[in-house]
Amino acid sequence: MTAVTAPARTSPQAPARPRRTLDWRLRFGVLSLIWGFSFLLIKVGTDGYAPFQVTLGRLLFGTAVLAVAMVVKRERLPRGARTWAHLTVAAFLLNALPFSLFAYAELTVPSTLAGICNATSPLWGMALSLVALSEDRPTRLRVAGLGLGFLGVLTVLGAWQGFHGLDARGTALALLASLSYPIGWIYLRRTLASTGSSALSMTGGQLLLATLQLAVVTPLFTSFPSSFPLVPLLATAALGALGTGLALLIQYGLVTEVGPTTAQMVTYFIPVIATAAGVAILGEPLSWSTPVGAAIVLAGAALTQARSRA
């Protein structure tokens, strides 16, 4: 489905403007870069601040960007106690929890591994949808993709070596973060699929609630910073303003213009960019099993998204 825009005011004789066929592809590339570099920004942010502080800063800057967009588009926050109650749960599952888990995970695991763990979300989503969503029927191709994807995870983690040199806690936190996303999306699909509010309005309210949740939790588990290192602070600001706020706005446009199926393909580029950024900029180590396993994960994730023509 393409976006519907107002026609330009031209004379009857004026030819129609040519459609910019590359525009959505450019935005797709920008979104891939932003989300791919987010794991590097988390790593840099946690070098100077506690994980909860990085997450709170990320949500603050992301909410600010969406608030500005809502003012420009004259959007209002959703209404109704029921809607806000469900958004509170969604904010926890889709923002507060996974953002915090990834931040804590990257204290002990490379940003490359965190980015690859993020790519397992479609695998978790497919497995959960078979149980939670009755309209999603398993096919041999999708089940094969599920098995292939988790085989790729074992390859990345070096299962044949007994997971030697791997921080089990950090890896588990990153995998739990990726699991939290599909749980949140299934919850949204079951509870808030027909509220009548726009996607921008709903997500603006959701990020606001997630920010409030972290504003309550952060002082309980961290102390106020005695100093404010500039580079980690800038990384946190970029993570929120670009990796959360701007990225969501770009995603909305892509879903509207080219549909959710094409827009979600960005998931398959994120671990590639996250790995390249971690190795090239942070100097993180890279063994052969990481790119090979990541390729298997992505292939499996792609198969789980396959739909029968019927």
Side-chain angles (χ1 to χ4, degrees), residues 34 37-50 53-59 61-62 106 228-245 281-282:
I34 290 175
F37 271 87
S38 291
F39 296 93
L40 179 149
L41 294 174
I42 293 172
K43 192 73 170 180
V44 175
T46 53
D47 283 342
Y49 302 96
Q53 293 169 346
V54 172
T55 303
L56 176 59
R58 174 181 188 175
L59 288 168
F61 285 103
E106 292 198 38
F228 293 88
L230 180 59
V231 173
L233 180 61
L234 292 176
T236 302
L239 179 65
L242 301 178
T244 304
I281 299 177
L282 298 180

Side-chain angles (χ1 to χ4, degrees), residues 35 38-39 42-43 46 50-63 66 90-106 114 118 173-174 176-178 180-181 203 206-208 210-211 213-214 239-241 243-245 247-248:
W35 272 341
S38 291
F39 296 93
I42 293 172
K43 192 73 170 180
T46 53
F52 275 140
Q53 293 169 346
V54 172
T55 303
L56 176 59
R58 174 181 188 175
L59 288 168
L60 279 171
F61 285 103
T63 302
L66 289 188
F92 175 74
L93 292 173
L94 290 171
N95 303 115
L97 179 61
F99 290 0
S100 299
L101 288 176
F102 272 125
Y104 270 100
E106 292 198 38
N118 179 77
L173 290 177
L176 283 174
S178 69
S180 181
Y181 288 124
T203 306
Q206 181 182 306
L207 281 187
L208 176 61
T211 304
Q213 291 171 1
L214 261 295
L239 179 65
T244 304
L248 288 174

